[in-house]
């Protein structure tokens, strides 16, 4: 949406709720969103950390998003 700092706040909030209810697919999506927002802010270490967390969850869930996340990580 053009505001990576707001995206970080929104994805952090989504991650907190997803963790609270134990919904792993949404946790993965929140980590993925955090990774992309941190990348846009130039915070590559944080982006990589969240992308790796998303990848772990997507892989455990046998989700096709794992492949997209691998590509994203390779571009960091």
């Amino acid at each position: 949406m053009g505001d990576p700092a707001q995206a970080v706040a929104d994805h952090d909030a989504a991650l907190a709720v997803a963790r609270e209810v134990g919904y792993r697919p949404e946790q993965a999506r929140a980590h993925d969103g955090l990774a992309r927002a941190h990348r846009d802010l130039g915070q590559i270490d944080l982006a990589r950390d969240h992308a790796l967390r998303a990848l772990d969850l997507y892989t455990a869930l046998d989700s096709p998003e794992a492949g997209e996340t691998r590509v994203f990580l390779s571009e960091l």
Side-chain angles (χ1 to χ4, degrees):
M1 293 282 207
D3 187 353
Q6 183 61 51
V8 167
D10 292 345
H11 288 296
D12 270 336
L15 180 57
V17 172
R19 282 181 174 156
E20 185 177 318
V21 299
Y23 191 58
R24 292 173 57 207
E26 190 57 37
Q27 290 175 39
R29 280 189 286 279
H31 279 297
D32 183 64
L34 283 163
R36 293 169 193 277
H38 282 296
R39 180 215 40 212
D40 292 347
L41 289 168
Q43 300 167 336
I44 302 305
D45 288 342
L46 287 171
R48 189 173 290 112
D49 180 55
H50 283 288
L52 287 168
R53 291 173 189 229
L55 179 59
D56 286 346
L57 286 162
Y58 284 142
T59 300
L61 295 166
D62 197 29
S63 174
E65 285 89 347
E68 296 170 18
T69 305
R70 279 188 197 92
V71 170
F72 176 78
L73 272 165
S74 73
E75 295 171 349
L76 288 177

